[in-house]
Amino acid sequence: MAMRKPAQPTTSRSRAWRWFHRFGSPAYFYFFAGRWAPRFGHLAVAFFLAGLYFGLVVAPPDYQMGDSYRIIFIHVPSAWMSMFIYVVMAVSAGIGLVWRIKLSHAVARSCAPVGAAFTFCALVTGALWGKPTWGTYWIWDARLTSELVLLFLYVGYMALLAALDDWKTGSRAGAVLALVGLVNIPIIHYSVEWWNTLHQGATITKLGRPSIDIRMLVPLLIMFAAVNFYFLAAMLNRVRCELLDQERRTRWVQEVVNG
Amino acid sequence: MVRTSASARKPSPWTVFRVSVTRDLAVAWRHLHEGTHPLLFFILTVSLFPLAAGPDPVFLRQLAPGILWIAALLSTLLVLDSLFRTEYEDGTLEQILTSAHPVVLIVLAKVAAHWILSALPLVAVSVFLGMMLNLPAHAYPAMVLSLLVGTPAMSLIGAIGAGLTVGLRRRGLLLALIVMPLYVPILIFGAHAVQSSIVQANWVSPLLLLGAILVLSLTLAPFALVAALKTSLH
Amino acid sequence: MHSSPLPQAVRKTGFSGPARLEGREIECIRGHACLFSNLEFALESGTALQILGANGTGKTSLIRIITGLTEADQGTISWNQVNIRDPGAAYAGHFSYLGHRNGLNDALTPRENLHYLGKLEASEPWLGIGDSLEQFEIGNCLNIPCARLSAGQQQRVALARVYRSPARLWVLDEPATALDAPAIGILAEIMTRHLLAGGLIVYTSHQAIDLGPVTARWLQL
Amino acid sequence: MAEFFEMGGHGFFIWTSYAVTALVLLHGYLAPVLRRKNLIRQLGSPDRGPGTK
């Protein structure tokens, strides 16, 4: 993918480069992301493979659940990332709303699909883990239910952005919704936990973490790193699309596009 | 800017709040036929459940809290769409946002008027619908109180969704899609308060938690609502 | 209407102290098109500014930027040297805005509408509801729901609201729409009187509004 | 090697969950890359369509 960059300044700082030096400027970030997204991507792949190897080959089967517990190496990181990305999205959107920074709106918009993807993965892997462990695909466990509500929050955010055609108005409206959602997440989580302990107080069906011995903890940590790198790579790719789309009138985009 | 004329009294924000509420009630009074829609929807929805789930009173009693609360939630959602609609279209919303008084108060007055019009009749009717669902006598206080505390919180949070979507021409169910996940805690605590009062367990603590959510919504939601309206009118 | 000329309610106490509205390097982008940029204007008390431009050149956007409803992509608007976006600016009490939508609820009567909208002002309006409607010769429509008034009558009610407002700066977006010739005459009359009392007016209009002996400026978009 | 895929009888569940996650994440990374290429081509070509996303 021969990505053409504007001519490197040979002489002293030429006009073409003047706008590059404010880090927040979309142009600078576009090329910064262009360099770093693939690197994060490669790191993510490397860590995934390492995680898979340690998780599926090295880690011993659990004395109780046998091999089915190996799904946690993908379920727990996904669940954690889904929550973490929502926080990143809301904070970035809030910064964009308060300080009127177009770049942080672009970052917030780019986080949502990645976060929703992780939430979906967490739900699917949670269900697939439930079948061998509790015999049913869906159990109204506190964490799975919270994930489900989180998925609805993501879907609501993305639906609002899709409905508002003006990019700026959409970003600001989405920011308000993301911040309201952020305030509600702990309340939702607590109320679902509270609801869960009430209705199923007797049977402890929490997604109990199996006794973590070192050979099981290592793959989990590797997977955490992998999903974080993946998040950065995927999000930066999306930010590049947003910037290209929004800054189509500016000269640096013309240079990028016409090479 | 020194104003010398005698009538320079500055109306206090609370008179503006009172005037806004009375104005909204007057407008609703002129369209009274529209005001009954949430009530009729509530009654209709509740009466559908026995048709679907069977008339067995013991079974209905178990379902009663869920039925009543979900019906209340849906009828609140139904009305939210029109909360700012008329004001947006005739330009009053622009006057409110450019008003000299704290916009938060005026907007809070609008949500209060909306709550009085849509939720109070709902709570009154819920007593009769409770009978329909074979709700035991000792559960009525919990039901009425939980609805009284829960519906304003739903109106406040829902108003933010209404504020975000007021500028859209084709809204459809976007408002419900945005707001419903935020209703989960209210639904859980509200329905559970009624449930535990049926089995004569401690129904006060879920009610207090619902009250906590109401207080949180009262303090934070109006500011988010003003921000939402400003982005919609941008 | 009435045969004998009405006592023209004149604002007995004019506005005191200097007032200045200015815009610096205003830029407005809609979608991907830049409507205008590096726009400068300034306005002192007693002067009117008419914004001229074909349809779609951003006249309404500039008006909404001046009221603060819309935020300019670049540049600042300041009232008495204070940026209107500063938290402590208290700019809202000093201007009265009339947009394309007249701000009147159809179900309410002009009396109720003006009473409600008057309460949104910074201080009590200086003119009674009945008198302000008399100015526009629609005193007889006081208690008729606005839904049954014609567009011209509704516009007169909206202008009555602006006229009785204590605000010093009027921001009017096409105030003469739907008005007949006599009404435009009354509009010109009250605008001139507002300027002579030390007020400021920023307005757009496709119809000619003859303001008489008043300093007026134009801003071509 | 066979028992590796057997995973103590839970092979189906483990491999499906990894496959689903891998697919979803792969799509999440590649979709924006493709979209960016289309954008560049669309913005570059003279008969640029209306400024829709």
Side-chain angles (χ1 to χ4, degrees):
Chain A
M1 126 182 138
M3 211 282 297
R4 231 179 304 288
K5 277 205 294 187
Q8 294 288 2
T10 50
T11 58
S12 68
R13 198 162 308 164
S14 62
R15 253 175 62 77
W17 277 85
R18 188 166 45 75
W19 63 75
F20 266 73
H21 290 289
R22 291 197 333 275
F23 180 79
S25 86
Y28 183 89
F29 196 88
Y30 178 81
F31 291 109
F32 167 83
R35 287 191 304 276
W36 278 94
R39 291 178 190 160
F40 286 133
H42 299 141
L43 273 172
V45 170
F47 274 86
F48 264 125
L49 294 181
L52 287 183
Y53 172 70
F54 281 101
L56 298 182
V57 175
V58 170
D62 180 73
Y63 61 90
Q64 220 182 9
M65 286 192 271
D67 283 307
S68 70
Y69 88 95
R70 295 179 194 279
I71 297 181
I72 65 157
F73 297 133
I74 201 76
H75 174 72
V76 172
S78 301
W80 192 82
M81 277 312 281
S82 62
M83 194 74 77
F84 171 67
I85 291 176
Y86 194 96
V87 175
V88 168
M89 179 176 86
V91 168
S92 168
I95 291 170
L97 189 65
V98 171
W99 285 288
R100 313 264 187 291
I101 302 169
K102 175 179 269 203
L103 187 59
S104 56
H105 278 312
V107 167
R109 276 170 172 264
S110 311
C111 286
V114 185
F118 274 118
T119 322
F120 175 74
C121 291
L123 285 170
V124 166
T125 51
L128 284 169
W129 185 7
K131 182 66 178 161
T133 320
W134 293 289
T136 64
Y137 276 108
W138 180 259
I139 40 163
W140 285 97
D141 164 73
R143 266 189 300 234
L144 276 184
T145 319
S146 299
E147 282 296 323
L148 191 61
V149 178
L150 186 58
L151 184 64
F152 295 147
L153 282 173
Y154 274 117
V155 167
Y157 177 80
M158 290 193 284
L160 181 63
L161 290 189
L164 289 160
D165 358 335
D166 176 52
W167 194 87
K168 217 153 92 78
T169 324
S171 304
R172 295 160 66 88
V176 171
L177 182 62
L179 288 170
V180 169
L182 185 65
V183 168
N184 268 282
I185 280 190
I187 304 170
I188 292 172
H189 192 70
Y190 172 76
S191 63
V192 168
E193 290 275 341
W194 186 84
W195 163 82
N196 191 358
T197 50
L198 279 172
H199 287 278
Q200 294 174 353
T203 61
I204 305 296
T205 58
K206 281 172 70 66
L207 284 177
R209 223 180 280 272
S211 59
I212 288 288
D213 79 23
I214 187 65
R215 281 169 303 170
M216 292 178 188
L217 188 59
V218 164
L220 205 54
L221 296 180
I222 297 174
M223 278 307 215
F224 265 117
V227 283
N228 272 296
F229 284 129
Y230 168 81
F231 161 56
L232 289 174
M235 188 264 288
L236 288 179
N237 270 338
R238 286 178 188 276
V239 170
R240 299 187 78 202
C241 288
E242 295 285 337
L243 292 181
L244 211 56
D245 188 21
Q246 282 315 307
E247 302 276 312
R248 66 180 60 204
R249 280 283 177 282
T250 58
R251 209 151 22 77
W252 70 270
V253 168
Q254 300 308 329
E255 279 174 13
V256 166
V257 161
N258 300 326
Chain B
M1 182 182 90
V2 172
R3 292 291 298 127
T4 50
S5 63
S7 70
R9 258 185 315 95
K10 180 174 168 54
S12 83
W14 289 110
T15 48
V16 178
F17 183 90
R18 184 175 42 76
V19 165
S20 293
V21 174
T22 41
R23 180 254 188 198
D24 286 340
L25 294 181
V27 169
W29 188 257
R30 302 275 159 79
H31 296 301
L32 199 54
H33 56 280
E34 262 174 44
T36 59
H37 289 182
L39 201 58
L40 298 172
F41 177 85
F42 182 62
I43 298 165
L44 184 60
T45 316
V46 171
S47 7
L48 286 182
F49 276 92
L51 298 174
D56 166 22
V58 173
F59 179 61
L60 279 182
R61 171 176 289 196
Q62 274 175 347
L63 278 180
I67 296 173
L68 286 168
W69 257 91
I70 287 174
L73 184 144
L74 292 177
S75 47
T76 311
L77 262 183
L78 176 90
V79 178
L80 275 175
D81 194 66
S82 63
L83 177 58
F84 296 115
R85 177 58 44 195
T86 42
E87 278 71 26
Y88 176 80
E89 270 150 14
D90 63 28
T92 317
L93 205 53
E94 284 167 347
Q95 296 303 325
I96 290 174
L97 284 178
T98 54
S99 155
H101 295 283
V103 181
V104 179
L105 263 179
I106 305 169
V107 155
L108 195 60
K110 198 154 276 304
V111 176
H114 164 265
W115 176 72
I116 293 168
L117 291 166
S118 66
L120 283 190
L122 205 115
V123 172
V125 163
S126 65
V127 174
F128 305 104
L129 295 176
M131 298 172 197
M132 222 166 81
L133 299 172
N134 184 24
L135 205 65
H138 56 267
Y140 283 95
M143 182 191 63
V144 170
L145 274 175
S146 69
L147 282 176
L148 271 179
V149 173
T151 42
M154 284 199 286
S155 289
L156 279 162
I157 296 176
I160 299 173
L164 288 172
T165 56
V166 72
L168 292 169
R169 281 167 308 286
R170 310 166 311 284
R171 288 174 313 291
L173 292 176
L174 181 62
L175 174 60
L177 193 59
I178 293 176
V179 165
M180 268 188 180
L182 305 173
Y183 281 169
V184 162
I186 300 171
L187 185 64
I188 288 176
F189 292 133
H192 194 73
V194 186
Q195 179 68 27
S196 42
S197 83
I198 289 177
V199 300
Q200 294 179 320
N202 162 19
W203 59 273
V204 177
S205 56
L207 196 62
L208 292 178
L209 286 167
L210 200 58
I213 292 180
L214 171 60
V215 167
L216 185 72
S217 315
L218 262 174
T219 45
L220 294 183
F223 297 99
L225 181 50
V226 171
L229 287 172
K230 282 195 170 128
T231 52
S232 293
L233 262 76
H234 184 52
Chain C
M1 289 302 188
H2 305 277
S3 54
S4 66
L6 279 161
Q8 298 292 354
V10 178
R11 189 190 293 272
K12 281 175 266 341
T13 54
F15 297 104
S16 56
R20 181 177 165 76
L21 175 76
E22 59 190 308
R24 182 131 286 103
E25 294 159 11
I26 311 289
E27 180 182 296
C28 176
I29 297 170
R30 179 169 312 149
H32 298 304
C34 174
L35 291 178
F36 49 78
S37 64
N38 289 325
L39 207 69
E40 304 277 337
F41 67 87
L43 204 59
E44 290 76 25
S45 68
T47 52
L49 174 70
Q50 181 173 7
I51 301 170
L52 300 168
N55 295 346
T57 49
K59 295 199 299 296
T60 299
S61 297
L62 180 57
I63 287 275
R64 289 177 70 93
I65 287 172
I66 292 173
T67 62
L69 280 172
T70 307
E71 206 196 316
D73 292 277
Q74 293 286 343
T76 60
I77 302 268
S78 38
W79 168 257
N80 294 344
Q81 280 78 35
V82 175
N83 184 341
I84 62 172
R85 292 231 154 250
D86 289 352
Y91 171 60
H94 294 291
F95 75 91
S96 182
Y97 168 58
L98 175 61
H100 290 305
R101 306 186 185 106
N102 53 31
L104 304 174
N105 186 293
D106 282 349
L108 298 177
T109 66
R111 174 198 297 275
E112 289 157 343
N113 268 312
L114 290 189
H115 172 67
Y116 170 66
L117 294 171
K119 281 283 185 266
L120 298 180
E121 302 285 355
S123 55
E124 281 299 322
W126 67 278
L127 190 61
I129 295 176
D131 299 340
S132 53
L133 289 176
E134 288 294 336
Q135 289 305 304
F136 286 87
E137 293 160 0
I138 41 168
N140 49 19
C141 312
L142 199 56
N143 296 314
I144 305 166
C146 288
R148 290 213 292 276
L149 296 180
S150 74
Q153 286 169 320
Q154 287 192 17
Q155 185 71 6
R156 288 174 185 235
V157 173
L159 286 167
R161 179 212 17 118
V162 174
Y163 183 50
R164 71 190 290 260
S165 143
R168 185 162 193 178
L169 165 67
W170 288 1
V171 184
L172 311 173
D173 198 353
E174 319 251 354
T177 46
L179 289 185
D180 51 24
I184 293 182
I186 298 172
L187 171 63
E189 169 76 21
I190 63 157
M191 284 171 77
T192 314
R193 221 181 289 132
H194 179 70
L195 293 170
L196 293 179
L200 300 88
I201 296 179
V202 177
Y203 70 102
T204 66
S205 178
H206 288 303
Q207 288 101 330
I209 300 178
D210 162 28
L211 291 184
V214 167
T215 53
R217 290 213 201 87
W218 289 273
L219 177 64
Q220 180 69 36
L221 283 192
Chain D
M1 206 38 205
E3 86 290 347
F4 171 75
F5 288 106
E6 260 304 298
M7 281 289 172
H10 303 309
F12 164 73
F13 303 109
I14 295 173
W15 293 115
T16 339
S17 55
Y18 276 89
V20 163
T21 310
L23 279 177
V24 167
L25 296 189
L26 208 60
H27 168 75
Y29 183 85
L30 293 179
V33 172
L34 293 176
R35 194 173 136 237
R36 195 174 59 82
K37 284 197 165 54
N38 294 342
L39 259 175
I40 287 183
R41 198 165 21 80
Q42 181 205 336
L43 291 179
S45 60
D47 55 352
R48 212 176 14 258
T52 52
K53 198 183 281 292

